[in-house]
Amino acid sequence: MAKTTQITVTAESKPGVLAKVCDVLAKAAVNIVAVCAAEAAGRGKIRLVVSDPARAKEALAAAKIRCGEEPALMLSMDDRPGALASVASRLAAAKINIKCAYATTAGGGKAHVVVVVANPDKAERALE
């Protein structure tokens, strides 16, 4: 488990927005570690965990793309039924609300999950 920073871009939901964000980051040599893009009521929200959050924010600002940031946890767990249920249950037992979560199973028996919570320090302790 590692603390990380999630970058969030909220923009109009239209073709090319994700491409532009990704292109800006690529040109700044910032690697995207995890991404979640969703739409609600005509607005798109792109959540990113990147290799260099400071450089990403700087590059996005230079491209006139507004973004925010918030702390998150990057979890690595076994890729098996119930693994995420166990994590979510432990956080619930500690009265920690999960604001956002997204994941991938990259193969090799491991899953990588980004979890955004209000208090990452407390969440980290709950998951130790």
Side-chain angles (χ1 to χ4, degrees):
M1 170 178 14
K3 287 184 192 171
T4 189
T5 299
Q6 174 181 269
I7 304 291
T8 304
V9 174
T10 302
E12 184 179 1
S13 180
K14 66 179 185 179
V17 173
L18 181 60
K20 182 177 180 180
V21 168
C22 293
D23 186 55
V24 166
L25 296 176
K27 287 178 178 165
V30 174
N31 189 41
I32 298 170
V33 176
V35 62
C36 174
E39 181 205 46
R43 298 294 293 168
K45 187 169 262 193
I46 303 167
R47 296 176 171 101
L48 304 147
V49 175
V50 297
S51 60
D52 188 335
R55 190 179 325 152
K57 287 177 51 183
E58 193 175 286
L60 291 167
K64 299 193 181 346
I65 299 172
R66 291 178 35 196
C67 68
E69 70 175 67
E70 59 189 324
L73 298 174
M74 178 73 79
L75 309 175
S76 179
M77 63 185 70
D78 291 334
D79 182 10
R80 62 167 178 74
L84 184 56
S86 174
V87 167
S89 293
R90 289 167 65 190
L91 292 174
K95 305 281 191 242
I96 298 169
N97 185 45
I98 299 171
K99 295 170 29 177
C100 173
Y102 44 103
T104 184
T105 55
K110 287 292 181 186
H112 302 282
V113 182
V114 176
V115 179
V116 180
V117 296
N119 188 333
D121 292 329
K122 183 178 177 184
E124 213 173 21
R125 288 190 300 275
L127 296 173
E128 288 177 337

